[in-house]
């Protein structure tokens, strides 16, 4: 890993996998030359510059008397507005004379042997300074007396560059940031398409691929949360690239609020991508001496398909984003009472569910919504963080002790960021909720959003939550957030600063999360937002797992978990076995299939285990034993997607997890609808050691021993899932929504 600086001010960030080359252009702007597979270093990369040899028709040129030097056709690293580049800028700054024209030029650079943290924002980190180098480039607008600093880090062991940008105003006059994105990348079109993750509540993170024509595609959220609708992730993929081959460039924003990601192809076939805080409803005033830090982006490169890109993200996030004691520790198998009881519970009912769970091997009981204030439904009590003694006569404190006495750890649900108007909190502090004076605020799920940008709101929440955590025996917290933002206006900011509210809110959430997770380092925190409305790297910095979706249907989860795994490690995805008919889809699947899907996640249950049949209970016991035996492999192994639920009419999905030394793997295969008169099923298994001999013990597989190369190239055949022609009497195996798990183990010579 190195950062070379050529005498003509070209910077080459290089490691064993990738090269990223940029250059200070003749006019002082920062140009982009290359991002891709590693290149040998040389003293001059000028051939990569896109300066025409003739005048660029009807286009402003930047250097008087020099033809061809036009920002509109040059690839740039952080373009501004108003001096001849007509594409989407990375920043727009309103000045006191009403102008938005800026002119930031190269001032200095610095190379550091470390990765500096981003103050107040989540960020990737690296503890060993031998594994990272950072380049900081500062640009200055002399007239404004303001500096923009672009920060690039390159890592020894990852084909990844992280970038962020910041700005300081040293001038006398205020500057108003109307847009200040995290990064920009202009690259040459190589037959790229755009891949992104889009969806809705209960349909999160579907994989969408879109052609890139001469236009601009916007992937964004204006909801105040990163959102279920679009994840802050975009990737360029070569047209024929797939899970196992071809080039991908992934970009993921480490941020949980409104974001924008744009892909714009220009009239010279260059592609501009930029990403950052959404300029919609955003502005930020910088007074003299003030600075602004934009969130980080993680740029990831693969020339061997999407699986490799995902595995890079998974490894990087597992080791250099997720923090704390739970990062490397086995996650407990939990049971959550939400779908078992909703709001209708009391201590006795909870203890009954907990006892049965303990009997079957569960390790942690989580008490969900409804334990506090007057919260007997979703219309009241939110914000009143004290026990509802009608339901829990011994309070959370007493219940947590009883659950611990059963030999289970105890976890508790909070939704700190919200308030029901029908609550003590709201009665006493109505001005704490986001709302515009004299206007009726818009409710969603009967609740309003608290203004987490306010320090008094954060102090109240800290006080209430930490008191409960101190007084009870709590090992786990589910931090929920169940509405998107409206009526964005804060009582503590002057009129000209109201554009800052949504970002200040997220900064406030981060501050509170940081305080609580630092003060209670042994508690496992799981983030949630009406399921997966905030599944982003920002949240993962504070909380190592996230409730993936409120949709617990095993078949729907195939798509949701497959899509989520494009960026996020499976150990970060909360995945539970719930009751049937499923509460979101009405679908009936076997308890086996439900577990076979949930095993590939932070595994748990979410139903009343007293209400399943004896046979199912026996199966649950075996599932838990299986998970405990294979927990390390499932939590820390390398995840491979094999067959996509988004292709071939969603007939079949398969995936695998393989351990580090490639001696063990677990493969999950899922068939949606059963097929009459079928051929065998086939599956190829990538990622094993081609020269190791493996054993697969399974009644449906003919033959027992396979070399890794045979598994990867010829694959294995097995009896069709869902229609077992050898055993028509076995209802267990017949019909739709069937699945199989194979355990593969190396045979030691
Ligand atoms: C939404 C969450 O996603 C659910 O799991 C549950 O906690 C409910 N909120 C409770 O209100």
């Amino acid at each position: 890993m190195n950062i070379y600086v050529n005498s003509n001010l070209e910077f080459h960030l290089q490691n064993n996998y990738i090269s990223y080359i940029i250059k200070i252009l003749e006019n002082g702007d920062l140009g982009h030359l290359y991002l891709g597979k590693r290149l040998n270093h040389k003293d001059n990369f000028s051939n990569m510059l896109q300066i025409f040899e003739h005048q660029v028709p009807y286009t402003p040129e930047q250097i008087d008397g020099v033809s061809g030097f036009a920002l509109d056709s040059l690839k740039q690293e952080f373009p501004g507005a108003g001096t001849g580049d007509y594409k989407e800028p990375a920043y727009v700054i309103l000045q006191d004379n009403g102008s938005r024209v800026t002119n930031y030029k190269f001032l200095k650079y610095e190379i550091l042997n470390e990765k500096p943290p981003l103050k107040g924002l989540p960020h990737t980190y690296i503890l060993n300074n031998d594994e990272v180098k950072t380049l900081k480039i500062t640009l200055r607008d002399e007239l404004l007396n303001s500096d923009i600093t672009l920060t690039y880090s390159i890592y020894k062991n990852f084909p990844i560059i992280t970038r962020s940008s910041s700005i300081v105003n040293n001038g006398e006059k205020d500057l108003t940031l109307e847009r200040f994105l995290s990064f920009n990348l202009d690259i040459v079109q190589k037959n790229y398409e755009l891949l992104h993750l889009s969806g809705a509540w209960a349909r999160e993170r579907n994989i969408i691929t879109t052609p890139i024509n001469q236009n601009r595609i916007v992937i964004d959220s204006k909801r105040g949360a990163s959102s279920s609708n679009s994840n802050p992730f975009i990737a360029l993929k070569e047209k024929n690239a797939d899970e196992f081959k071809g080039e991908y460039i992934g970009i993921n924003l480490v941020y949980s609020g409104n974001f924008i990601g744009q892909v714009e192809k220009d009239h010279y076939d260059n592609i501009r991508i930029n990403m950052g805080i959404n300029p919609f409803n955003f502005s930020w005033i910088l007074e003299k001496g003030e600075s602004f830090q934009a969130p980080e982006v993680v740029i990831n490169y693969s020339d061997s398909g999407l699986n490799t890109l995902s595995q890079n993200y998974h490894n990087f996030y597992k080791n250099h984003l997720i923090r704390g004691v739970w990062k490397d520790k086995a996650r407990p198998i939990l049971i959550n009472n939400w779908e078992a009881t909703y709001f209708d519970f009391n201590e006795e009912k909870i203890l009954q569910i907990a006892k049965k769970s303990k009997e079957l091997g569960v390790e942690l009981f989580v008490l969900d919504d409804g334990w506090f204030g007057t919260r007997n439904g979703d219309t009241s009590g939110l914000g009143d963080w004290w026990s509802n003694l009608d339901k829990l006569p011994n309070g959370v404190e007493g219940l947590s002790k009883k659950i611990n006495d059963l030999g289970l750890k105890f976890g508790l649900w909070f939704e700190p960021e919200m308030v029901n108007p029908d609550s003590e909190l709201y009665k006493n502090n109505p001005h704490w909720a986001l709302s515009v004076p004299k206007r009726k605020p818009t409710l969603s799920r009967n609740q309003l959003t608290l203004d987490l940008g306010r320090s008094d709101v954060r102090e109240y929440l800290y006080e209430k939550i930490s008191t409960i955590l101190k007084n009870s025996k709590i090992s786990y917290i589910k931090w929920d957030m169940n509405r998107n933002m409206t009526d964005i206006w804060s009582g503590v900011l002057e009129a000209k600063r109201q554009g800052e509210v949504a970002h200040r809110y997220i900064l406030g959430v981060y501050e509170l999360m940081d305080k609580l997770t630092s003060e209670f380092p042994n508690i496992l925190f799981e983030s949630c937002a009406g399921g997966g409305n905030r599944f982003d790297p920002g949240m993962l910095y504070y909380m190592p797992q996230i409730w993936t979706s409120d949709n617990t249907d095993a078949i729907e989860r195939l798509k949701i978990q497959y899509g989520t795994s494009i960026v996020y490690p499976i150990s970060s995805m909360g995945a539970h076995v719930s009751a049937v008919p499923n509460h979101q889809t009405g679908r009936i699947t076997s308890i086996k299939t439900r577990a076979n899907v949930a095993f590939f996640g932070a595994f748990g249950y979410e139903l009343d285990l007293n209400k399943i049949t004896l046979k199912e209970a026996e199966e649950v016991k075996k599932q838990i034993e299986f998970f405990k035996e294979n927990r390390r492999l499932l939590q820390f192994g390398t995840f491979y997607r094999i067959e996509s639920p988004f292709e071939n009419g969603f007939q079949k999905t398969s995936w695998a997890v393989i351990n580090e030394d490639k001696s063990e793997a677990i493969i999950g295969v899922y068939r949606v609808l059963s097929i009459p008169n079928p051929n065998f099923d086939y599956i190829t298994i990538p990622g094993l050691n081609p020269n190791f001999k493996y054993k697969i013990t399974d009644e449906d597989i003919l033959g027992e021993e396979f070399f890794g190369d045979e598994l990867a190239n010829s694959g294995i055949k097995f009896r069709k899932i869902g229609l077992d022609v050898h055993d028509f009497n076995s209802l267990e195996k017949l019909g739709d929504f069937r699945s199989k798990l194979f355990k593969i183990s190396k045979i030691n010579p």
Side-chain angles (χ1 to χ4, degrees):
M1 161 201 61
N2 211 341
I3 298 179
Y4 298 96
V5 187
N6 289 344
S7 54
N8 57 353
L9 285 176
E10 287 170 353
F11 301 88
H12 181 185
L13 291 76
Q14 181 211 54
N15 66 15
N16 286 338
Y17 317 98
I18 52 170
S19 284
Y20 192 111
I21 308 173
I22 56 187
K23 177 181 171 52
I24 308 302
L25 303 173
E26 222 176 311
N27 70 337
D29 277 5
L30 185 52
H32 179 82
L33 299 186
Y34 176 81
L35 162 62
K37 205 175 162 74
R38 178 190 198 275
L39 302 180
N40 284 313
H41 182 66
K42 59 177 192 175
D43 291 340
N44 194 325
F45 288 102
S46 61
N47 181 263
M48 293 174 179
L49 263 176
Q50 243 185 35
I51 299 176
F52 293 132
E53 285 169 344
H54 53 82
Q55 199 177 35
V56 192
Y58 295 100
T59 303
E61 293 177 323
Q62 263 61 37
I63 307 173
D64 293 345
V66 178
S67 282
F69 195 100
L71 287 182
D72 207 37
S73 56
L74 272 164
K75 292 176 287 159
Q76 294 172 73
E77 281 293 285
F78 207 64
T83 55
D85 182 340
Y86 296 106
K87 299 186 290 291
E88 283 289 306
Y91 57 95
V92 176
I93 301 171
L94 176 65
Q95 299 137 53
D96 75 317
N97 64 357
S99 158
R100 292 175 177 83
V101 177
T102 46
N103 207 9
Y104 285 85
K105 300 291 179 206
F106 175 70
L107 179 72
K108 59 178 181 181
Y109 74 89
E110 192 184 357
I111 293 174
L112 310 171
N113 292 320
E114 59 168 333
K115 162 101 200 301
L118 273 71
K119 206 166 157 266
L121 282 168
H123 53 269
T124 58
Y125 63 90
I126 199 133
L127 299 175
N128 183 351
N129 283 343
D130 295 341
E131 294 177 8
V132 66
K133 274 193 190 295
T134 298
L135 169 67
K136 283 182 142 199
I137 294 191
T138 303
L139 313 168
R140 172 165 293 175
D141 186 313
E142 293 289 352
L143 187 67
L144 302 180
N145 197 4
S146 160
D147 293 350
I148 288 178
T149 300
L150 304 180
T151 305
Y152 301 76
S153 295
I154 183 157
Y155 304 85
K156 186 173 166 210
N157 301 318
F158 296 92
I160 280 178
I161 302 273
T162 49
R163 277 187 63 177
S164 65
S165 56
S166 62
I167 178 166
V168 60
N169 177 14
N170 292 316
E172 295 303 322
K173 308 270 174 55
D174 288 3
L175 297 177
T176 303
L177 308 181
E178 292 186 328
R179 162 190 309 217
F180 195 75
L181 301 183
S182 295
F183 102 115
N184 181 87
L185 185 66
D186 288 355
I187 52 175
V188 177
Q189 164 67 316
K190 283 208 279 181
N191 210 6
Y192 287 126
E193 295 177 325
L194 170 68
L195 182 149
H196 69 106
L197 302 173
S198 106
W201 174 81
R203 287 191 272 113
E204 292 88 346
R205 289 170 293 285
N206 282 223
I207 302 172
I208 309 279
T209 307
T210 317
I212 304 172
N213 294 313
Q214 193 184 321
N215 56 21
R216 177 160 56 95
I217 307 171
V218 177
I219 311 293
D220 78 339
S221 168
K222 305 183 190 77
R223 295 165 188 265
S226 51
S227 91
S228 308
N229 307 66
S230 0
N231 199 261
F233 168 75
I234 52 181
L236 295 183
K237 69 175 273 279
E238 278 179 322
K239 207 164 190 167
N240 296 321
D242 61 25
E243 287 286 7
F244 301 99
K245 64 169 195 308
E247 192 174 87
Y248 283 83
I249 299 170
I251 295 139
N252 193 202
L253 184 70
V254 187
Y255 189 61
S256 311
N258 291 338
F259 75 92
I260 193 166
Q262 315 189 85
V263 178
E264 180 177 12
K265 185 162 122 177
D266 72 11
H267 40 287
Y268 296 109
D269 275 354
N270 290 324
I271 293 184
R272 168 164 294 179
I273 314 170
N274 48 40
M275 202 176 216
I277 294 174
N278 200 328
F280 170 81
N281 219 344
F282 168 85
S283 63
W284 193 280
I285 295 178
L286 289 181
E287 290 176 6
K288 184 178 180 177
E290 286 183 342
S291 57
F292 182 85
Q293 173 67 57
E296 178 173 270
V297 288
V298 182
I299 307 170
N300 179 354
Y301 175 81
S302 161
D303 64 348
S304 51
L306 189 55
N307 262 307
T308 310
L309 189 93
S310 302
Q311 289 161 5
N312 298 338
Y313 272 126
H314 297 178
N315 281 337
F316 194 57
Y317 288 172
K318 281 200 268 190
N319 294 300
H320 303 296
L321 175 68
I322 291 169
R323 303 170 300 159
V325 294
W326 287 99
K327 171 178 159 175
D328 303 315
K329 212 163 139 179
R331 308 275 170 76
I333 301 170
L334 65 81
I335 184 140
N336 178 304
N337 75 306
W338 178 242
E339 286 201 14
T341 66
Y342 295 104
F343 294 102
D344 181 20
F345 62 82
N346 55 27
E347 187 181 276
E348 202 190 322
K349 206 171 188 179
I350 292 298
L351 286 172
Q352 268 172 15
I353 300 175
K355 271 184 204 144
K356 188 69 188 177
S357 316
K358 171 67 190 169
E359 217 179 285
L360 299 181
V362 169
E363 297 162 323
L364 165 74
F365 181 90
V366 179
L367 181 62
D368 210 277
D369 194 355
W371 58 266
F372 50 90
T374 55
R375 185 82 168 166
N376 296 314
D378 62 13
T379 55
S380 68
L382 201 53
D384 297 344
W385 299 113
W386 49 85
S387 299
N388 177 330
L389 296 178
D390 292 336
K391 284 179 172 172
L392 307 176
N394 303 298
V396 161
E397 202 180 324
L399 178 66
S400 71
K401 290 196 180 111
K402 288 188 185 185
I403 299 267
N404 273 273
D405 290 345
L406 289 176
L408 285 169
K409 302 274 184 215
F410 180 73
L412 193 61
W413 180 97
F414 283 96
E415 191 179 357
E417 299 161 59
M418 300 290 157
V419 64
N420 282 129
D422 184 2
S423 66
E424 289 299 311
L425 173 62
Y426 190 77
K427 268 170 221 144
N428 298 330
N429 303 287
H431 51 290
W432 280 9
L434 290 179
S435 54
V436 185
K438 298 187 192 151
R439 288 190 190 278
K440 187 181 159 305
T442 319
L443 291 174
S444 175
R445 210 194 185 210
N446 308 302
Q447 63 196 52
L448 297 172
T449 309
L450 289 171
D451 182 0
L452 268 278
R454 293 176 68 128
S455 57
D456 47 1
V457 172
R458 295 196 299 273
E459 273 154 31
Y460 167 85
L461 293 170
Y462 170 76
E463 185 51 41
K464 284 281 171 269
I465 297 170
S466 61
T467 304
I468 292 169
L469 298 188
K470 278 176 201 150
N471 295 338
S472 308
K473 292 185 89 172
I474 293 182
S475 310
Y476 163 106
I477 293 294
K478 179 173 172 187
W479 180 305
D480 205 348
M481 195 286 281
N482 282 306
R483 65 159 291 174
N484 288 318
M485 239 181 234
T486 57
D487 306 281
I488 300 174
W489 193 89
S490 169
V492 290
L493 294 177
E494 44 187 330
K496 62 179 186 182
R497 287 195 178 267
Q498 291 299 328
E500 300 176 11
V501 177
H503 181 54
R504 284 188 186 276
Y505 174 92
I506 294 292
L507 294 178
V509 171
Y510 289 151
E511 190 189 299
L512 184 61
M513 285 184 171
D514 205 41
K515 198 164 172 186
L516 285 162
T517 52
S518 315
E519 186 156 332
F520 300 95
N522 294 318
I523 292 183
L524 171 61
F525 283 80
E526 177 157 342
S527 166
C528 173
N533 197 38
R534 225 165 41 181
F535 206 121
D536 58 61
M539 284 295 129
L540 283 180
Y541 181 71
Y542 302 98
M543 306 190 175
Q545 55 192 58
I546 301 179
W547 182 226
T548 316
S549 172
D550 275 346
N551 191 340
T552 56
D553 174 77
I555 299 305
E556 285 297 305
R557 275 290 185 130
L558 291 174
K559 286 191 268 178
I560 296 168
Q561 292 177 205
Y562 194 99
T564 306
S565 80
I566 298 290
V567 188
Y568 308 101
I570 61 167
S571 57
S572 69
M573 291 183 215
H576 299 171
V577 173
S578 62
V580 289
N582 177 268
H583 294 193
Q584 292 77 38
T585 60
R587 186 178 282 133
I588 296 178
T589 55
S590 67
I591 197 125
K592 175 175 165 186
T593 289
R594 280 174 268 159
N596 282 352
V597 177
F599 283 146
F600 293 84
F603 180 60
Y605 290 83
E606 189 160 332
L607 73 172
D608 186 345
L609 291 170
N610 296 297
K611 293 186 178 159
I612 57 175
T613 63
L614 280 177
K615 203 162 167 240
E616 283 173 330
E618 268 315 302
E619 188 143 356
V620 167
K621 209 169 174 178
K622 285 198 197 124
Q623 291 170 353
I624 291 176
E625 280 163 16
F626 172 84
F627 189 80
K628 286 178 180 168
E629 268 165 34
N630 294 289
R631 179 160 27 199
R632 286 207 74 78
L633 168 56
L634 288 160
Q635 189 177 330
F636 299 106
T638 301
F639 184 69
Y640 284 86
R641 291 176 303 270
I642 303 173
E643 289 164 291
S644 170
F646 299 100
E647 287 166 14
N648 303 321
F650 192 16
Q651 292 179 24
K652 194 172 157 212
T653 299
S654 55
W655 52 42
V657 66
I658 300 177
N659 71 353
E660 206 183 336
D661 68 10
K662 298 182 187 289
S663 60
E664 284 194 320
I666 297 173
I667 321 297
V669 189
Y670 312 86
R671 174 158 297 282
V672 177
L673 297 181
S674 119
I675 298 172
N677 184 19
N679 189 355
F680 283 98
D681 253 329
Y682 285 86
I683 183 174
T684 49
I685 302 165
L688 293 165
N689 185 319
N691 302 318
F692 285 0
K693 201 185 236 180
Y694 294 95
K695 173 176 82 186
I696 307 178
T697 320
D698 189 286
E699 52 179 10
D700 289 328
I701 294 181
L702 315 172
E704 284 238 308
E705 293 181 0
F706 306 87
F707 277 104
D709 57 359
E710 182 182 348
L711 291 172
N713 298 302
S714 168
I716 41 169
K717 77 174 194 296
F718 52 92
R719 292 183 191 123
K720 190 65 123 198
I721 304 173
L723 190 68
D724 185 347
V725 285
H726 298 268
D727 186 0
F728 275 110
N729 295 323
S730 165
L731 283 175
E732 289 292 296
K733 290 182 178 173
L734 284 169
D736 300 335
F737 318 130
R738 301 294 148 164
S739 63
K740 255 193 129 20
L741 285 194
F742 302 116
K743 175 95 189 260
I744 300 186
S745 316
K746 182 187 170 200
I747 302 171
N748 287 318

